Amino acid sequence: MSLKITVRPDAATAPYEQLREQIADQARSGALPVGYRLPTVRGLADDLGLAANTVAKAYRALETDGVIETRGRNGTFVAAAGDAAVREAAAAASAYAQRVRRLGLDRTAAEAAVGEALRAAYEE
C-alpha cells in the first residue's frame, strides 16, 4: 500500500485542500492504515510539484483534525482518527450548545440550525 495523490492545478479546490481531503479519505477508508508513515513535507512537495508550504498547510490541517500525528524527528504517521474525530466533534457540539443557549435560542431552533449546517456540509 502507498499514498496515492493527484493534485489538479486547474481544480476549483485549492491544492492544499485537495491533498488534505485525499489523505483524510485514504486514512478513513483504511487504504492508509493506522501507523502508516507519510512522506516528509519536502519529499511529498517534490513528488507532487507543489510548494513545501502547501504540503505543510495540509499536514497541519490533518493533524488538527486528528487524522495524522507528528512524532518529532521520527516522522508523520496516520493516527487512529476515529477516537480523535469523535472527541473533537463532541467538544464542538458542546461549545455550540453553550453558545446557542447564551444567544437565547430554544432547543428546536438550535437543532434546526445544526440540521441545516449538516445538510449543507454533506451535500457539497
Side-chain angles (χ1 to χ4, degrees):
M1 83 206 61
S2 65
L3 182 63
K4 294 177 180 73
I5 301 292
T6 303
V7 176
R8 294 185 16 238
D10 60 336
T13 307
Y16 91 90
E17 180 59 23
Q18 292 178 53
L19 181 58
R20 185 209 60 76
E21 186 175 294
Q22 290 178 53
I23 292 173
D25 288 348
Q26 290 178 47
R28 289 188 183 109
S29 73
L32 295 177
V34 171
Y36 177 84
R37 186 178 184 163
L38 293 167
T40 64
V41 167
R42 289 186 195 277
L44 187 56
D46 288 346
D47 290 348
L48 297 174
L50 297 172
N53 285 343
T54 300
V55 176
K57 185 174 182 179
Y59 275 21
R60 281 191 305 273
L62 288 162
E63 191 158 24
T64 298
D65 291 346
V67 176
I68 65 173
E69 60 186 2
T70 301
R71 301 178 191 160
R73 296 183 141 286
N74 293 321
T76 302
F77 299 84
V78 173
D83 293 340
V86 169
R87 281 193 308 274
E88 188 166 334
S94 178
Y96 171 77
Q98 292 170 19
R99 177 81 172 132
V100 295
R101 188 165 182 181
R102 280 193 308 270
L103 291 171
L105 272 67
D106 64 19
R107 185 180 180 131
T108 302
E111 288 173 347
V114 168
E116 279 302 310
L118 288 171
R119 254 188 303 288
Y122 284 92
E123 290 176 4
E124 288 181 15

